[in-house]
């Protein structure tokens, strides 16, 4: 969570590309933001070297590694930044477990056990405050985006000219010249305080991340997911729609489970046993 916060806080540094690359990025993905999804699971793994005699990589292999990869990829489907498996959730202290909500109950394959999925509600659209340097103000960022988009070709020509001048200087001196591209400010210094369980109540960033999903919303959600697992899908649909209304249609898990419910005309299958089979 703190990593996600610092990525938001220093996103302008992360996206500090050359004018040409920045222009191409915003042309393809306007208002691009750097984000990550996390899948958290607990289990064993075997570390070993894989590859050939030309290229060898260290890797971790086990069904539990596959579970982590599955959870990470599923964050897109549930539209949440973090997904936790039930084994991982059970290891959490009560201080943080109370802020996690159950979003589904699944069986990934015939050989897997039934597993609940959880998330820690995280709003990555927050405006995380930081000490702004002159080149990192919002106005400076917007000017930089506009210039990159409108002068993409000119920026490319300028870089080519700079490279030509660099090559010319190299040919005239025995000492190779070093080309250091201009950057907006120095790399940020990120210092995290020692971990204590009080972080879940006292850390301003952590608390703000979950503030968009209020306790009132959590009560409605819990009623909905309990009804979903129990097979009362009409009640579940009512509760999930209420959560969407309360969150201005932004709650990913509600949208996903509603789509599953409505695909069965809001009636649980005759063989429903409280979990979704993904195989």
């Amino acid at each position: 969570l703190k990593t996600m916060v610092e990525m938001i806080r220093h996103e302008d540094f992360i996206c500090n590309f050359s004018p040409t690359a920045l222009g191409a990025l915003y042309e393809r993905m306007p208002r691009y933001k750097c984000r990550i999804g996390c899948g958290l699971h607990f289990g064993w793994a075997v570390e070993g070297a894989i590859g050939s005699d030309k290229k060898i990589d260290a890797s971790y292999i086990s069904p539990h590694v596959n579970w982590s990869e599955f959870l990470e990829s599923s964050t897109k489907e549930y539209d949440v930044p973090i997904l936790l498996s039930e084994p991982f959730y059970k290891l959490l202290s009560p201080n943080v477990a109370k802020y996690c909500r159950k979003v589904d109950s699944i069986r990934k394959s015939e050989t897997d056990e039934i597993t609940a999925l959880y998330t820690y509600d995280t709003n990555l659209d927050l405006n995380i405050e930081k000490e702004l340097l002159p080149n990192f103000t919002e106005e400076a960022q917007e000017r930089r985006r506009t210039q990159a988009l409108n002068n993409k070709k000119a920026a490319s020509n300028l870089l080519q000219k700079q490279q030509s001048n660099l090559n010319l200087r190299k040919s005239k001196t025995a000492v190779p010249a070093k080309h250091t591209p201009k950057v907006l400010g120095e790399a940020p210094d990120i210092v995290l305080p020692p971990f204590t369980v009080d972080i879940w109540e006292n850390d301003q960033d952590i608390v703000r991340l979950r503030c968009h999903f209020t306790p009132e919303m959590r009560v409605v959600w819990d009623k909905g997911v309990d009804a979903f697992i129990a097979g009362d899908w009409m009640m579940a649909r009512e509760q999930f729609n209420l959560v969407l209304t309360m969150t201005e249609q932004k709650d990913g898990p509600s949208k996903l489970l509603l789509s599953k419910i409505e695909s069965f005309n809001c009636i649980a299958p005759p063989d429903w046993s409280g979990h979704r089979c993904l195989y």
Side-chain angles (χ1 to χ4, degrees):
L1 292 174
K2 294 295 289 184
T3 298
M4 292 180 177
V5 167
E6 296 303 332
M7 287 181 65
I8 298 173
R9 179 173 283 124
H10 302 288
E11 185 168 18
D12 38 21
F13 180 82
I14 296 174
C15 297
N16 183 26
F17 308 130
S18 69
T20 303
L22 195 64
L25 175 64
Y26 288 131
E27 186 175 53
R28 181 182 178 188
M29 294 177 284
R31 312 304 300 180
Y32 168 83
K33 294 183 178 180
C34 184
R35 296 290 183 265
I36 60 174
C38 297
L40 303 180
H41 181 63
F42 173 78
W44 58 267
V46 176
E47 180 185 17
I50 61 174
S52 65
D53 55 353
K54 295 183 179 179
K55 186 177 187 298
I56 299 178
D57 293 316
S59 182
Y60 296 87
I61 302 173
S62 85
H64 303 289
V65 173
N66 296 338
W67 254 103
S68 296
E69 294 176 349
F70 165 78
L71 291 170
E72 186 277 327
S73 63
S74 296
T75 58
K76 303 177 182 66
E77 184 179 16
Y78 288 86
D79 195 19
V80 294
I82 300 176
L83 273 180
L84 294 71
S85 68
E86 187 171 2
F88 186 91
Y89 170 81
K90 290 180 177 179
L91 296 176
L92 297 177
S93 69
N95 305 74
V96 61
K98 65 182 179 181
Y99 293 121
C100 298
R101 62 166 166 149
K102 186 177 182 178
V103 296
D104 209 347
S105 181
I106 65 169
R107 189 174 184 182
K108 191 164 70 72
S109 69
E110 292 182 353
T111 58
D112 284 312
E113 297 181 355
I114 300 171
T115 304
L117 303 184
Y118 297 81
T119 189
Y120 182 97
D121 290 293
T122 305
N123 179 15
L124 296 183
D125 293 326
L126 288 175
N127 181 22
I128 304 295
E129 297 179 357
K130 69 173 181 177
E131 182 182 356
L132 290 176
L133 299 174
N135 286 330
F136 282 118
T137 62
E138 182 60 32
E139 293 78 9
Q141 294 179 57
E142 189 60 36
R143 288 196 302 270
R144 190 160 165 256
R145 294 189 188 101
T146 302
Q147 182 181 11
L149 287 171
N150 295 338
N151 301 296
K152 181 180 174 183
K153 183 176 180 180
S156 177
N157 293 337
L158 177 61
L159 290 177
Q160 291 178 5
K161 183 177 180 180
Q162 291 176 341
Q163 185 63 41
S164 298
N165 293 337
L166 175 63
N167 294 336
L168 181 61
R169 290 197 301 270
K170 284 183 177 181
S171 63
K172 292 183 177 180
T173 178
V175 180
K178 292 185 178 180
H179 175 58
T180 304
K182 294 182 180 179
V183 296
L184 297 182
E186 301 295 331
D189 292 326
I190 300 174
V191 180
L192 299 181
F195 174 81
T196 66
V197 294
D198 295 334
I199 190 175
W200 306 109
E201 305 294 342
N202 299 332
D203 188 287
Q204 182 179 359
D205 293 332
I206 295 295
V207 173
R208 288 185 64 204
L209 283 178
R210 65 172 185 262
C211 281
H212 69 291
F213 204 84
T214 65
E216 293 77 17
M217 297 175 186
R218 189 177 300 277
V219 171
V220 177
W221 170 264
D222 287 343
K223 291 181 180 178
V225 79
D226 288 343
F228 174 74
I229 293 174
D232 187 356
W233 285 11
M234 293 296 292
M235 172 61 74
R237 183 180 68 166
E238 179 182 339
Q239 299 302 312
F240 293 152
N241 276 319
L242 182 55
V243 172
L244 284 178
T245 300
M246 299 171 75
T247 59
E248 300 180 349
Q249 307 297 312
K250 294 180 180 179
D251 187 55
S254 293
K255 293 179 182 179
L256 176 64
L257 294 188
L258 273 174
S259 69
K260 304 302 181 183
I261 289 174
E262 292 171 354
S263 67
F264 286 90
N265 296 320
C266 303
I267 300 175
D271 60 347
W272 176 254
S273 55
H275 65 276
R276 296 194 301 120
C277 293
L278 305 185
Y279 53 91

